[in-house]
Amino acid sequence: MTLTLGEICRRAGGDLDGDPDLPIHGVAKIEEAREGELTFIANPKYLKYLSQTRASAVIVPKNAPPAPPHSLIRCDNPYFVFMKALVLFNPPEELYGRGIHPAAVVGKDAELGKDVSVGPHAVIGEKCSIGDGTVLAAGVFVGKGASIGRQCTLHPHVSVREKVIIGDRVIIHNGAVIGSDGFGFVPENGVYHKIPQVGTVVIEDDVEIGANVTIDRATLGETRIRKGAKLDNLIQVAHNCTVGEHTVIAAQTGMAGSTTIGNNVRIAGQVGFAGHMSVGDRAVVGAQAGVVKDVQPGEMVSGYPARPHREELRREAASARMPEMLQEIRLLKKKLSELEERMRKNGC
Amino acid sequence: MTLTLGEICRRAGGDLDGDPDLPIHGVAKIEEAREGELTFIANPKYLKYLSQTRASAVIVPKNAPPAPPHSLIRCDNPYFVFMKALVLFNPPEELYGRGIHPAAVVGKDAELGKDVSVGPHAVIGEKCSIGDGTVLAAGVFVGKGASIGRQCTLHPHVSVREKVIIGDRVIIHNGAVIGSDGFGFVPENGVYHKIPQVGTVVIEDDVEIGANVTIDRATLGETRIRKGAKLDNLIQVAHNCTVGEHTVIAAQTGMAGSTTIGNNVRIAGQVGFAGHMSVGDRAVVGAQAGVVKDVQPGEMVSGYPARPHREELRREAASARMPEMLQEIRLLKKKLSELEERMRKNGC
Amino acid sequence: MTLTLGEICRRAGGDLDGDPDLPIHGVAKIEEAREGELTFIANPKYLKYLSQTRASAVIVPKNAPPAPPHSLIRCDNPYFVFMKALVLFNPPEELYGRGIHPAAVVGKDAELGKDVSVGPHAVIGEKCSIGDGTVLAAGVFVGKGASIGRQCTLHPHVSVREKVIIGDRVIIHNGAVIGSDGFGFVPENGVYHKIPQVGTVVIEDDVEIGANVTIDRATLGETRIRKGAKLDNLIQVAHNCTVGEHTVIAAQTGMAGSTTIGNNVRIAGQVGFAGHMSVGDRAVVGAQAGVVKDVQPGEMVSGYPARPHREELRREAASARMPEMLQEIRLLKKKLSELEERMRKNGC
């Protein structure tokens, strides 16, 4: 596929500083780009590498200096424009067949919108509702009475349990489970009795959920993933949790029951949340943190138990000096004894 | 649905102190309950909130004082009675169809009990045995020669591998894998050779297993989950592990090979067990702990590496003071030098 | 099944010191072996237990002393020879049916080699290529244009996404997902936009992948698991990662994007890698470590953040003495004050 730089610029955004007729054959990372390709530099401090790239054109921050012989596209958010160029060269493909595959099973009273695709061996329960243009790939399971919005893609082997509600343009990767029972039991004489989990899960618009994620239904009420949140693979969301709008969570993080995460929060991988606590908007949580109490809006926490990131770094630095501290304490004790001895000898 | 308080009390347990004819429309948590609903207070210290709830009736500990205008149900374990009331208002629904779906595949010489349900695209291997009343939902796979007891529910996409043995009333959530090969290899000249995993997995009665859990079969012998144990989502149980009776394990915990967990143990989320070690009955393990050696019966451990919880708290407190300790050591050194200097000057 | 010790020795390797006609009925671990069985001792320091085992024959290191009445097989790697004997007594069984099951769906232009088995409800996409002798069990999904080599086994419910490339003799356990989208988004005005993940995943020969593992496809280029690597259950491999040859990784470990792991590395369970970093050949990483910077070849690291294992042990030991250090600092301060006071009194 070949596009002129002018056309890329018009469709992906940015201001062209260079040859609009330059033919571009593809996009690539700066260290891998070859002649005839387009790349990008998002961070001004890497502009110095411009002279080394073999790319013919580069997307750069607005105020970047000219860099002949490279043609430039200047813009506010080079990564964003690059992403759009990437889409131009990789238009979304049809991964899964169209229409209702004859080997799919659709329950009675299920309502399917226009242009819904249902793959082989997918199962749609009774009284489900599936919005226009949604794709349910091979082997997807949708439980009784669940509702899925428009333009969603559920990749193979996704399970959506009974009564779960999913918005529009939601993407769910293979093997994710939405709406399994919350982990709730009452002990009575050393035996655990199951508390029926009669609540549900609500996934709002534009959410993306990774492979083999598990999101449990609420005991009563709902577990909710708000608009635009992005969850990586193998994440656990327990009953009655809420994940805020445009919050991103990296892989293998887990939330215990009734954790409430605010909007625009960024959470790294393998983090644990203790449950019954809340994380404020725009907070940042470091990898492998163990969060046991509320995090304030905008706060950055890390460590176990999680504390303000700066304090964690201070502790970490102090901890590196512990063996040395032991040494110094020993030395101080010795010197002090010597002083005492000397004073005693000198009778003062 | 409406039930009288008298009927609820008779069916769920407890002593009625109030109007037996009071119509109750549902159950809810204390902060969400509305008029006409039933709620509960398990902890006596929250009895003070009784005056604020809009619920018409409340399940309370036996010795709670009267609280007009609320009708009360007094009992030893309010949470347990509440759970039973919750079941009354939410009788178990039939999630999956009855009978053997025509799109299921049942292998030859498989023995199916009475009232077994097999969903679409489920596969039952040769020589399997499935007990009375068990439900195998859509897409469930049961390997050759596996045996599943009575009244079990295997939710969609569960995999039970060859020869695995499962007891009665076991619940397994979507995507869980029971009986995958243990992780065993022999290195020989820098190359790893697979050790055939010829053992199996035994799941006893009344166990519940969460979504996307993985339980590996034993190398030789068996991996065993004992009666009444409850496993949350995304847990890893390696080959030759044993989980004791009525033990509860929260999400994302992992056990390396040959870990033995006792009875009535409580394990929080994201815990790791190093393998070839044992945890005594009634022990408690804190979240994200890394357990590398035996835990005594009744002991409470936390931290990495896991140690008695009190010691962990002491260390944690001392660790908070490390930057200050560094400061004090510096100060002590300075003062000591000054003293020495003074003594030298004064000739003593 | 009964084999003579002589035959076992001939087929599994090692030098026989004992009765070649001894009938052997099975193999077992030393503490569980009964008369008529074969066991092994890999570590010379356990040779003292030889006198206690009921096994009739034992595989031992080359220079082990005679141990009548036991017959011995002497060799360089007793565990390896034991593994081969284990295979003799447990020849690989056919777990899944032969041929293409009528309830499988094979897309057009898919190329299937000789003796390929495709289970019920498996789906093979258009233009896939499946090598000779490969087994795709029930419910396996292979996306459009994917390629799988010879003699592979994909257990039930495995998902292989579009265009993924898999080598020969690869084993993938139930529910694993190969080729889900990498977790890549560009923020623009507080909203995250999906970066199309147009790269792929390459799995080389002789790799084994555990149950419910997730391996994401690359944004551009490839995520690669090299020859002979072994991945345990529930592992997360993010986009653009590389796992080296003959590297073993225990369960629940996660790698953030663009992590590069060398050859013959050993990684314990629940480890996290921060991404955009590399681990040298033959390195060893302890359980639950949080690796945030490069690890040198042959280095052993542990802890959070991961540091050389010896340093971690030193810190750990010093940390145990922190409460005591606090005490000593307090004492030093007191003594110093007393000295000062005394000096002041004595006018020096």
Side-chain angles (χ1 to χ4, degrees):
Chain A
M1 187 186 228
T2 302
L3 296 168
T4 65
L5 189 61
E7 188 178 354
I8 293 171
C9 193
R10 203 173 60 248
R11 291 168 66 186
D15 303 321
L16 181 59
D17 173 7
D19 176 9
D21 295 326
L22 188 70
I24 297 292
H25 311 301
V27 299
K29 286 184 279 185
I30 190 155
E31 66 273 24
E32 292 168 3
R34 288 163 304 183
E35 219 191 303
E37 291 188 321
L38 171 69
T39 189
F40 77 105
I41 293 176
N43 190 330
K45 78 176 176 190
Y46 293 128
L47 285 170
K48 58 187 174 196
Y49 295 118
L50 246 173
S51 60
Q52 295 167 34
T53 185
R54 281 177 291 172
S56 298
V58 187
I59 307 167
V60 293
K62 217 146 198 174
N63 51 6
H70 300 295
S71 285
L72 302 180
I73 293 177
R74 290 202 171 80
C75 60
D76 288 327
N77 189 343
Y79 196 22
F80 184 63
V81 172
F82 177 75
M83 183 269 288
K84 291 190 147 188
L86 184 59
V87 176
L88 291 179
F89 281 95
N90 299 275
E93 250 186 288
E94 234 172 66
L95 293 182
Y96 307 114
R98 289 253 170 157
I100 315 294
H101 193 281
V105 171
V106 179
K108 68 167 197 260
D109 300 325
E111 281 180 39
L112 273 61
K114 272 188 298 185
D115 298 321
V116 166
S117 298
V118 184
H121 314 130
V123 173
I124 299 178
E126 293 173 16
K127 297 180 189 165
C128 285
S129 144
I130 313 289
D132 297 351
T134 281
V135 175
L136 307 176
V140 164
F141 172 84
V142 182
K144 234 175 173 174
S147 153
I148 299 180
R150 287 172 297 177
Q151 308 292 345
C152 294
T153 300
L154 274 59
H155 288 281
H157 300 140
V158 165
S159 276
V160 174
R161 290 270 297 263
E162 64 278 7
K163 294 181 193 162
V164 164
I165 296 165
I166 294 179
D168 296 339
R169 296 172 303 279
V170 169
I171 297 172
I172 308 182
H173 288 279
N174 311 52
V177 176
I178 319 294
S180 37
D181 285 356
F183 193 64
F185 302 90
V186 193
E188 168 80 354
N189 301 326
V191 171
Y192 287 89
H193 298 268
K194 182 173 179 66
I195 303 169
Q197 303 291 308
V198 303
T200 190
V201 177
V202 180
I203 310 277
E204 297 185 359
D205 296 345
D206 299 304
V207 166
E208 182 159 346
I209 292 170
N212 287 345
V213 162
T214 58
I215 302 179
D216 279 353
R217 63 197 313 114
T219 310
L220 292 163
E222 61 186 38
T223 303
R224 184 175 281 264
I225 313 292
R226 291 193 193 282
K227 196 167 69 175
K230 311 294 183 191
L231 276 65
D232 200 353
N233 299 340
L234 291 170
I235 286 171
Q236 151 73 354
V237 181
H239 48 177
N240 298 84
C241 287
T242 300
V243 174
E245 296 182 8
H246 309 301
T247 279
V248 288
I249 308 180
Q252 294 179 320
T253 282
M255 286 163 233
S258 301
T259 298
T260 300
I261 311 275
N263 300 334
N264 293 97
V265 173
R266 284 180 291 146
I267 300 170
Q270 296 184 336
V271 171
F273 293 92
H276 292 279
M277 38 146 296
S278 71
V279 176
D281 295 347
R282 300 175 315 286
V284 176
V285 183
Q288 292 190 330
V291 185
V292 299
K293 55 178 194 186
D294 288 359
V295 177
Q296 299 311 309
E299 201 180 3
M300 182 170 179
V301 301
S302 66
Y304 171 72
R307 51 182 73 91
H309 186 56
R310 281 190 183 188
E311 193 192 321
E312 174 67 13
L313 290 179
R314 243 192 333 259
R315 277 197 196 206
E316 187 39 43
S319 137
R321 301 184 55 186
M322 270 192 313
E324 174 196 338
M325 280 161 76
L326 272 173
Q327 198 62 35
E328 293 202 336
I329 289 175
R330 228 171 278 136
L331 204 67
L332 281 168
K333 279 166 77 174
K334 195 170 153 240
K335 277 201 181 165
L336 204 56
S337 298
E338 286 169 5
L339 273 195
E340 275 182 312
E341 180 61 20
R342 225 154 81 197
M343 285 172 72
R344 205 173 42 77
K345 271 196 190 146
N346 294 333
C348 54
Chain B
M1 187 185 228
T2 302
L3 296 169
T4 66
L5 189 60
E7 190 179 352
I8 293 171
C9 193
R10 204 174 59 249
R11 291 168 65 186
D15 303 322
L16 182 58
D17 173 5
D19 177 7
D21 295 327
L22 188 71
I24 297 291
H25 311 301
V27 298
K29 286 184 279 186
I30 191 157
E31 67 273 24
E32 292 168 4
R34 289 163 304 184
E35 218 190 306
E37 291 188 323
L38 172 68
T39 190
F40 77 106
I41 293 176
N43 190 331
K45 77 175 177 190
Y46 294 128
L47 284 170
K48 57 187 174 195
Y49 295 116
L50 245 173
S51 60
Q52 295 167 32
T53 185
R54 282 178 291 173
S56 298
V58 187
I59 306 166
V60 294
K62 215 146 198 175
N63 52 4
H70 301 295
S71 284
L72 302 180
I73 292 177
R74 290 203 172 79
C75 60
D76 288 327
N77 189 344
Y79 196 22
F80 183 63
V81 171
F82 177 76
M83 183 269 288
K84 290 190 146 187
L86 184 59
V87 176
L88 291 179
F89 281 95
N90 298 275
E93 251 186 289
E94 233 173 68
L95 293 181
Y96 308 114
R98 288 255 171 156
I100 315 293
H101 193 282
V105 171
V106 179
K108 68 169 198 262
D109 299 325
E111 280 180 40
L112 274 60
K114 272 189 297 182
D115 299 321
V116 166
S117 297
V118 184
H121 314 131
V123 173
I124 299 178
E126 294 172 17
K127 297 180 191 166
C128 286
S129 143
I130 314 289
D132 297 351
T134 281
V135 175
L136 306 176
V140 164
F141 172 83
V142 182
K144 234 174 174 174
S147 153
I148 299 179
R150 288 172 296 175
Q151 309 292 344
C152 294
T153 300
L154 273 59
H155 288 281
H157 301 141
V158 165
S159 275
V160 174
R161 290 269 297 264
E162 65 277 8
K163 293 181 196 163
V164 164
I165 296 164
I166 294 180
D168 296 339
R169 297 173 303 279
V170 169
I171 298 172
I172 308 181
H173 287 278
N174 310 51
V177 176
I178 318 295
S180 38
D181 285 356
F183 194 63
F185 302 90
V186 193
E188 168 80 354
N189 300 326
V191 171
Y192 287 89
H193 298 267
K194 183 174 178 64
I195 303 169
Q197 303 290 309
V198 303
T200 191
V201 178
V202 180
I203 311 277
E204 298 185 358
D205 297 345
D206 299 303
V207 166
E208 182 160 346
I209 292 171
N212 287 345
V213 161
T214 58
I215 301 179
D216 279 354
R217 63 197 313 112
T219 309
L220 292 163
E222 61 186 37
T223 303
R224 183 175 283 261
I225 313 292
R226 291 193 193 282
K227 195 168 68 175
K230 312 293 182 188
L231 276 65
D232 200 352
N233 299 339
L234 291 169
I235 285 170
Q236 152 73 354
V237 181
H239 48 178
N240 298 84
C241 287
T242 300
V243 173
E245 295 182 9
H246 309 300
T247 279
V248 288
I249 308 180
Q252 295 179 320
T253 282
M255 284 162 235
S258 301
T259 298
T260 300
I261 310 276
N263 299 334
N264 293 98
V265 173
R266 284 180 291 145
I267 300 170
Q270 298 184 333
V271 170
F273 292 91
H276 292 279
M277 37 147 295
S278 71
V279 176
D281 294 348
R282 300 175 316 284
V284 175
V285 183
Q288 294 190 328
V291 184
V292 298
K293 55 179 195 186
D294 287 0
V295 176
Q296 299 310 308
E299 202 181 0
M300 181 172 180
V301 301
S302 65
Y304 172 71
R307 49 182 75 91
H309 186 55
R310 284 192 180 185
E311 193 193 321
E312 174 67 13
L313 291 179
R314 245 195 328 264
R315 276 196 195 207
E316 186 39 44
S319 137
R321 301 186 55 185
M322 270 191 313
E324 174 196 340
M325 280 160 76
L326 271 174
Q327 199 61 37
E328 293 201 337
I329 289 175
R330 228 171 278 136
L331 203 69
L332 281 169
K333 279 166 77 175
K334 195 168 153 241
K335 278 201 180 163
L336 203 55
S337 298
E338 287 167 7
L339 271 195
E340 275 182 312
E341 181 63 18
R342 224 156 83 200
M343 285 173 71
R344 204 172 43 80
K345 271 194 191 147
N346 294 331
C348 57
Chain C
M1 186 184 229
T2 302
L3 296 168
T4 66
L5 189 61
E7 189 177 354
I8 293 171
C9 193
R10 204 174 57 249
R11 290 168 65 186
D15 303 321
L16 180 60
D17 173 6
D19 177 7
D21 295 325
L22 189 70
I24 298 291
H25 311 300
V27 298
K29 285 185 279 186
I30 191 156
E31 67 273 25
E32 292 168 3
R34 288 164 303 186
E35 218 190 303
E37 291 187 323
L38 171 68
T39 189
F40 78 106
I41 293 177
N43 190 329
K45 78 176 175 190
Y46 294 128
L47 284 170
K48 57 188 172 194
Y49 295 117
L50 245 173
S51 61
Q52 296 166 33
T53 185
R54 281 178 290 172
S56 298
V58 187
I59 306 166
V60 293
K62 217 145 196 175
N63 51 6
H70 301 294
S71 284
L72 302 180
I73 293 177
R74 291 202 172 79
C75 60
D76 288 328
N77 188 344
Y79 196 21
F80 183 63
V81 172
F82 178 75
M83 183 270 287
K84 291 192 145 185
L86 185 58
V87 176
L88 291 179
F89 281 95
N90 299 274
E93 251 187 288
E94 233 172 66
L95 293 181
Y96 309 115
R98 289 253 170 156
I100 316 294
H101 193 281
V105 171
V106 179
K108 69 168 198 261
D109 300 325
E111 280 180 38
L112 273 60
K114 273 188 297 184
D115 298 321
V116 166
S117 297
V118 184
H121 315 130
V123 173
I124 299 178
E126 294 173 16
K127 297 179 190 163
C128 285
S129 142
I130 313 289
D132 297 351
T134 282
V135 175
L136 307 175
V140 164
F141 172 83
V142 182
K144 236 175 173 172
S147 153
I148 299 179
R150 288 171 297 176
Q151 308 292 345
C152 294
T153 300
L154 274 58
H155 289 281
H157 300 140
V158 165
S159 276
V160 175
R161 289 270 297 264
E162 64 278 7
K163 294 181 194 161
V164 164
I165 296 164
I166 294 179
D168 296 339
R169 296 172 304 277
V170 169
I171 298 172
I172 308 182
H173 287 279
N174 310 53
V177 176
I178 318 295
S180 37
D181 285 357
F183 193 63
F185 302 91
V186 193
E188 169 80 354
N189 301 327
V191 171
Y192 287 89
H193 298 267
K194 183 174 177 66
I195 303 169
Q197 303 291 307
V198 303
T200 191
V201 177
V202 180
I203 310 277
E204 298 184 358
D205 296 346
D206 299 304
V207 166
E208 181 160 345
I209 293 171
N212 286 345
V213 162
T214 59
I215 301 179
D216 279 354
R217 63 195 316 113
T219 309
L220 291 164
E222 61 186 37
T223 303
R224 184 175 282 263
I225 312 293
R226 291 193 194 282
K227 196 167 69 174
K230 310 293 182 190
L231 277 65
D232 200 353
N233 299 339
L234 291 169
I235 286 171
Q236 151 73 356
V237 181
H239 48 178
N240 299 82
C241 286
T242 299
V243 173
E245 296 182 8
H246 309 301
T247 279
V248 288
I249 308 180
Q252 295 179 319
T253 282
M255 285 164 235
S258 300
T259 298
T260 299
I261 310 276
N263 299 334
N264 293 97
V265 173
R266 285 179 291 146
I267 300 170
Q270 297 184 333
V271 170
F273 292 91
H276 292 278
M277 37 147 295
S278 70
V279 176
D281 295 347
R282 299 175 316 283
V284 175
V285 183
Q288 294 190 327
V291 184
V292 298
K293 55 179 196 187
D294 288 358
V295 176
Q296 299 311 309
E299 202 180 2
M300 182 172 178
V301 301
S302 65
Y304 171 74
R307 51 183 74 89
H309 186 56
R310 282 190 181 188
E311 193 192 322
E312 174 67 13
L313 291 179
R314 248 196 324 265
R315 277 197 194 206
E316 188 38 44
S319 137
R321 302 185 54 185
M322 271 191 311
E324 175 196 337
M325 279 160 77
L326 272 173
Q327 199 61 37
E328 293 202 336
I329 289 175
R330 227 171 279 138
L331 203 68
L332 280 169
K333 279 165 78 175
K334 196 169 152 243
K335 277 202 180 164
L336 205 55
S337 298
E338 287 169 4
L339 271 196
E340 275 181 311
E341 180 62 18
R342 224 155 84 198
M343 285 173 72
R344 205 172 43 76
K345 273 196 190 146
N346 293 333
C348 55

